[in-house]
Amino acid sequence: MVPTADPKEDKVYAKPIDQLEAFEFNAKVADVFENMIERSVPGYPLILDIIGLTTEHFAQPNTCCYDLGCSLGASTLKIRQHLPISCLAIGIDNSSDMVERCRANVARDHSQAQIEIRQEDLRITRIENASVVVMNFTLQFLPEGDRDNVLRGISDGLVDGGVFLLCEKIKFDNSNQQALFEDLHLSFKRLMGYSDLEIAQKRAALENVLIPSTITELNERVSRAGFSRTELIVQCLNFVAILAIK
Ligand code: GEK
């Protein structure tokens, strides 16, 4: 976990909001983000552990390991903590509110590999000499038309034997399946203590901001980008981690 000073409880959507605005990664969200993502994404702590062990397995000495959409640095620090000392961990996020808090979290981590946190739109990030690239629930926030280019850049920037770990919320073509997984996810959020008002307002705010894909679409996108093999390594309700090997 990120060594945050004091994770605060997410109350962003707890009160009725008259003029609901589209979801943004602003200061209000960044302040409570650790609590928000843990209570919204089933399997999030497990996925962080999988990021750590994937890094340990695939990171190659003297390479870079990227975390695209690093938020507060939970995934970036998992990467850093499992890297050979000669590697560089690079976290990228375009939200200044996230980057500021991420840098403070990084300052509290004392693992040895070098790390840099950049405030940058990942669509312009040049991936170079990479052995591991992680996108932990970030591709889903990019305009669909930009996604293929980003994945192509990742594939091109990986060294031989390098891997890309893609974690996403998924949707289903089959309406019965879609309804089942949505219901189960709703129950998960209630179990995590969110009220029906919070769930409804957050869902409305995320409409057209978080655009999920089906597993088939993700696999096709990854293959088009030049990866030779993809494996579904985690599925927890409607959230998955796909390991793509160059
Ligand atoms: C974690 N990986 O805790 N360029 C850079 N960053 C972006 C862009 C972009 N174009 N679009 C969105 N982001 C983290 C969680 S959250 C996932 C990642 C979620 C950033 C955005 O600012 C946010 O911090 C992050 O991607 C997505 O393991 O909220 O479900």
Side-chain angles (χ1 to χ4, degrees):
M1 280 292 124
V2 190
T4 42
D6 173 26
K8 288 189 217 143
E9 194 179 349
D10 169 22
K11 293 274 178 206
V12 174
Y13 294 103
K15 292 193 180 137
I17 302 172
D18 287 342
Q19 300 260 303
L20 198 61
E21 288 175 1
F23 185 86
E24 274 182 47
F25 292 99
N26 55 23
K28 247 178 157 173
V29 167
D31 271 342
V32 297
F33 186 72
E34 184 179 355
N35 181 265
M36 176 185 274
I37 194 162
E38 272 181 25
R39 291 167 64 211
S40 307
V41 176
Y44 176 74
L46 171 70
I47 287 179
L48 289 182
D49 283 337
I50 299 284
I51 290 172
L53 68 87
T54 304
T55 303
E56 194 156 317
H57 198 86
F58 289 100
Q60 300 177 31
N62 303 305
T63 61
C64 301
C65 296
Y66 291 79
D67 184 20
L68 304 178
C70 62
S71 300
L72 300 182
S75 35
T76 329
L77 288 178
K78 276 288 178 188
I79 293 169
R80 183 191 193 193
Q81 289 156 2
H82 290 83
L83 280 183
I85 193 172
S86 60
C87 287
L88 171 65
I90 301 172
I92 307 281
D93 207 290
N94 65 351
S95 155
S96 56
D97 294 303
M98 287 292 188
V99 165
E100 185 189 313
R101 289 159 184 77
C102 181
R103 288 187 175 135
N105 289 335
V106 164
R108 282 190 283 273
D109 177 75
H110 299 295
S111 37
Q112 287 184 301
Q114 295 286 305
I115 183 165
E116 81 188 34
I117 302 298
R118 306 207 300 243
Q119 189 190 336
E120 184 172 293
D121 189 321
L122 69 88
R123 288 170 294 178
I124 60 138
T125 301
R126 199 176 150 76
I127 308 292
E128 282 174 312
N129 185 35
S131 56
V132 176
V133 179
V134 171
M135 280 187 100
N136 202 25
F137 304 111
T138 301
L139 190 69
Q140 60 197 18
F141 290 105
L142 299 187
E144 286 181 283
D146 293 339
R147 296 181 189 183
D148 275 358
N149 266 347
V150 167
L151 297 200
R152 169 55 71 183
I154 293 170
S155 166
D156 288 350
L158 280 167
V159 298
D160 285 347
V163 293
F164 171 44
L165 187 60
L166 175 62
C167 309
E168 288 276 286
K169 181 176 188 184
I170 54 163
K171 65 175 183 184
F172 299 86
D173 284 332
N174 178 296
S175 55
N176 288 331
Q177 244 185 328
Q178 179 64 27
L180 171 66
F181 280 91
E182 259 180 39
D183 272 0
L184 288 171
H185 186 214
L186 183 67
S187 302
F188 173 81
K189 286 187 278 192
R190 287 192 183 127
L191 179 71
M192 292 293 114
Y194 282 122
S195 67
D196 287 350
L197 174 71
E198 284 177 292
I199 295 169
Q201 293 194 131
K202 174 129 184 255
R203 176 178 292 188
L206 279 172
E207 192 82 36
N208 303 320
V209 176
L210 189 172
I211 302 162
S213 308
T214 63
I215 283 266
T216 309
E217 286 167 344
L218 290 177
N219 281 328
E220 285 173 359
R221 240 187 235 294
V222 168
S223 301
R224 267 201 303 278
F227 289 91
S228 60
R229 187 174 153 204
T230 64
E231 300 287 353
L232 177 67
I233 58 168
V234 182
Q235 177 164 359
C236 201
L237 303 184
N238 42 346
F239 293 81
V240 298
I242 293 172
L243 182 68
I245 302 173
K246 191 170 168 183

